[in-house]
Amino acid sequence: MIIQILSKVINKGYLNKDHYDISSPFFAGTNVAFRKKALVEAGYYDNNCKSGEDQDICYRIAQKGYELYFEPKAVVFHKNEMSFRFFIRRWYYYGYHHPYLFKKHANKGIKLYISKFDKSKQSLYHLVIDKKFPLSFIVFFTPFLLLNILLIGLIGLRIAGSSITPMLIVSSFVVISALYCFRFDIKRRNGTESLIFVFLRYTANLALLIGGFFGGLKQKMLYFNGTLDSKN
Amino acid sequence: MDNSHFISVVIATRNRAHWLEETIKSLIKQTRMPDEIIVVDNASTDGTALFIAELQKTISIRYLYEEKKGIPFARNCGVKAANGDVLVFIDDDAVADENWLKNIEIHFIRDPNIGAVGGLVKPYPIRNSKIEKFYVENMLLV
């Protein structure tokens, strides 16, 4: 089953397929080579994949029993269009099209994923609940999602005209979860860069989450996407 | 164990004629030359066809046109037309290191069970924007 949007492949060698129970390793489409036989057996690229087609094809090739090998000495330099508008659109796009892949490779049901503290493993999440159900309700419970739930709660309290004490309590949780979400950005030596990175991470994650939500609705799922919580 | 392969490099492109030249030039400077270069024009409107025709005067390129928009359509078009038993993909906004194909081919020769080889994607050093830095640190594959 494929769940991760980003590849976490870093070490030279074979990708050990058996170790990936909930996420599947893959290579970026701009630097990948296939044995033609494997590509044909796996059934070519999926024309319905608007994004994540590289993830999908690597998964299907591995399912056919072929090995995937990462060679960091085979280098490609990639140009990026780096306007802010493009940046937001790209993350929204990733988010929006991910539920299609999820639906393609996972069973219907209620699934709850929690992000791992130990990010050294290839998979970023634990699968905590996996119940069969006629509707799909998928939640990646990340610190970023928690932060936003708390923020919404805080606004809700304000609108409801709550007294100061509950608002202070929720605010302190907002601060704690924000510090956790952006810990690597805050730790940077350069203050301006810290601020810019916090801003970029927040907007990229929000775009992923909102994109994933609408993409999920299109696939008839209630879908809360995984986000970028820390350095890989 | 087979000793060499027929390598087809497939570039799917749409409206990036201004970047394509550098991509293609990086392919003809390889220490292990590609056996064919296929450019799949994915419904470009920026004169990509003319641009490739110009390049074809000096470089051997197979030009294909795929009218259905989308990366999978374009790549599949390239896959179906390719003569190679190893198909290597690079995008129109990327440039290959000179030992790229050599380092990929080694593994296909070495182990017949390998179905796919992936390489490292590094940022192209154009400028040092914060957004770019954010990408590099958060996506190992930019």
Side-chain angles (χ1 to χ4, degrees):
Chain A
M1 178 200 308
I2 293 176
I3 60 157
Q4 266 162 223
I5 290 190
L6 305 178
S7 177
K8 273 182 61 70
V9 176
I10 39 175
N11 297 321
K12 178 184 167 97
Y14 291 91
L15 308 187
N16 190 341
K17 294 172 294 203
D18 302 335
H19 288 185
Y20 306 105
D21 49 344
I22 58 169
S23 72
S24 162
F26 68 100
F27 305 125
T30 187
N31 187 358
V32 64
F34 298 105
R35 210 177 278 282
K36 185 170 182 177
K37 190 162 76 88
L39 201 52
V40 173
E41 266 180 50
Y44 300 91
Y45 279 100
D46 178 351
N47 285 332
N48 295 318
C49 263
K50 301 278 184 266
S51 162
E53 73 292 333
D54 36 12
Q55 201 169 357
D56 175 69
I57 190 66
C58 285
Y59 179 77
R60 287 187 283 120
I61 282 177
Q63 291 293 97
K64 287 280 170 195
Y66 288 99
E67 298 289 342
L68 309 175
Y69 194 92
F70 180 59
E71 173 52 84
K73 279 194 222 154
V75 180
V76 155
F77 299 94
H78 186 244
K79 298 169 188 173
N80 292 289
E81 283 180 37
M82 279 307 159
S83 69
F84 184 67
R85 218 182 118 118
F86 184 81
F87 175 81
I88 297 297
R89 279 174 58 183
R90 190 195 280 205
W91 288 101
Y92 182 85
Y93 192 80
Y94 287 148
Y96 187 81
H97 294 294
H98 199 250
Y100 168 78
L101 267 190
F102 196 96
K103 193 179 183 187
K104 182 174 173 181
H105 296 288
N107 303 321
K108 272 187 183 168
I110 301 172
K111 295 179 207 295
L112 174 66
Y113 297 92
I114 291 189
S115 58
K116 278 182 181 171
F117 284 98
D118 176 14
K119 309 266 166 146
S120 59
K121 299 284 186 313
Q122 292 279 348
S123 171
L124 294 171
Y125 299 94
H126 288 293
L127 177 55
V128 188
I129 295 172
D130 187 3
K131 278 200 152 92
K132 279 194 179 160
F133 196 67
L135 300 170
S136 285
F137 182 47
I138 317 296
V139 181
F140 291 91
F141 195 77
T142 60
F144 183 77
L145 185 61
L146 179 67
L147 170 65
N148 285 283
I149 291 170
L150 288 168
L151 277 174
I152 292 166
L154 194 60
I155 295 165
L157 283 176
R158 180 84 176 85
I159 292 168
S162 153
S163 60
I164 195 82
T165 322
M167 284 187 64
L168 274 177
I169 295 168
V170 177
S171 301
S172 54
F173 281 117
V174 166
V175 172
I176 293 166
S177 57
L179 286 174
Y180 183 78
C181 281
F182 305 112
R183 64 197 180 284
F184 290 105
D185 303 320
I186 295 165
K187 270 189 218 156
R188 290 175 171 275
R189 293 210 180 107
N190 180 334
T192 328
E193 196 169 285
S194 280
L195 274 177
I196 293 172
F197 267 55
V198 167
F199 174 69
L200 289 177
R201 190 176 303 279
Y202 190 85
T203 45
N205 277 343
L206 202 60
L208 264 175
L209 206 58
I210 294 171
F213 184 77
F214 286 114
L217 288 182
K218 199 187 167 200
Q219 303 296 333
K220 300 190 174 64
M221 299 155 83
L222 208 51
Y223 186 90
F224 294 90
N225 220 340
T227 48
L228 298 161
D229 290 321
S230 68
K231 271 186 180 174
N232 268 301
Chain B
M1 195 148 126
D2 34 15
N3 291 322
S4 75
H5 290 273
F6 189 103
I7 298 185
S8 305
V9 176
V10 179
I11 311 167
T13 185
R14 188 191 313 159
N15 295 335
R16 289 258 178 79
H18 55 297
W19 278 357
L20 258 184
E21 185 171 5
E22 204 182 350
T23 309
I24 292 169
K25 292 229 159 120
S26 77
L27 299 180
I28 55 168
K29 285 183 204 147
Q30 291 291 309
T31 51
R32 195 289 188 206
M33 288 291 282
D35 298 297
E36 68 178 352
I37 298 172
I38 298 175
V39 172
V40 185
D41 181 349
N42 197 193
S44 295
T45 51
D46 69 340
T48 294
L50 285 173
F51 178 77
I52 294 296
E54 190 61 32
L55 280 184
Q56 279 171 328
K57 290 176 184 166
T58 50
I59 304 167
S60 167
I61 299 170
R62 286 181 64 197
Y63 173 86
L64 306 172
Y65 185 83
E66 172 57 63
E67 60 177 7
K68 289 188 196 124
K69 286 183 188 171
I71 287 179
F73 287 110
R75 293 217 181 117
N76 284 336
C77 170
V79 172
K80 284 170 188 163
N83 292 312
D85 52 343
V86 168
L87 313 183
V88 192
F89 294 86
I90 186 168
D91 286 345
D92 54 2
D93 53 358
V95 175
D97 173 76
E98 60 176 13
N99 291 317
W100 182 54
L101 286 180
K102 190 187 95 179
N103 288 327
I104 284 174
E105 189 189 25
I106 297 168
H107 299 292
F108 285 106
I109 293 173
R110 190 176 55 75
D111 181 350
N113 285 324
I114 287 180
V117 174
L120 189 65
V121 182
K122 288 187 176 179
Y124 182 88
I126 317 174
R127 64 220 134 162
N128 194 15
S129 81
K130 298 286 184 222
I131 295 181
E132 179 137 29
K133 205 166 169 185
F134 182 81
Y135 257 99
V136 175
E137 291 186 14
N138 288 284
M139 301 179 74
L140 292 164
L141 307 162
V142 249

